[in-house]
Amino acid sequence: MTAILSIICIAAILWRGIVATGVAYNRIKTRGVSPTLNIIFWDSILVIVLSVSLLVKIWAPCM
């Protein structure tokens, strides 16, 4: 049960990273690059990478 809850939480974090990356990318395309948008964009990419690595770490023992 704990593994299922962990996967759900990490998937939610992954979804947040995907949405934030899309929003930041659209704003960068329409308004141009600003330091704040650049930080938000790369922070979102980092969230995606860390979420995927945690999901793999949880799923690896199950296989």
Side-chain angles (χ1 to χ4, degrees), residues 23-37:
V23 169
Y25 179 74
N26 272 344
R27 288 189 181 167
I28 287 171
K29 259 178 76 173
T30 57
R31 299 180 186 170
V33 178
S34 72
T36 305
L37 283 177

Side-chain angles (χ1 to χ4, degrees), residues 2-14 55:
T2 305
I4 293 171
L5 290 175
S6 298
I7 290 172
I8 290 171
C9 290
I10 294 170
I13 294 168
L14 178 63
L55 282 174

Side-chain angles (χ1 to χ4, degrees), residues 12-61:
I13 294 168
L14 178 63
W15 181 248
R16 175 251 178 222
I18 292 169
V19 170
T21 303
V23 169
Y25 179 74
N26 272 344
R27 288 189 181 167
I28 287 171
K29 259 178 76 173
T30 57
R31 299 180 186 170
V33 178
S34 72
T36 305
L37 283 177
N38 203 14
I39 290 170
I40 292 170
F41 179 76
W42 288 111
D43 175 60
S44 302
I45 296 290
L46 182 62
V47 166
I48 292 170
V49 169
L50 291 175
S51 304
V52 169
S53 69
L54 281 173
L55 282 174
V56 168
K57 192 172 187 174
I58 289 174
W59 281 340

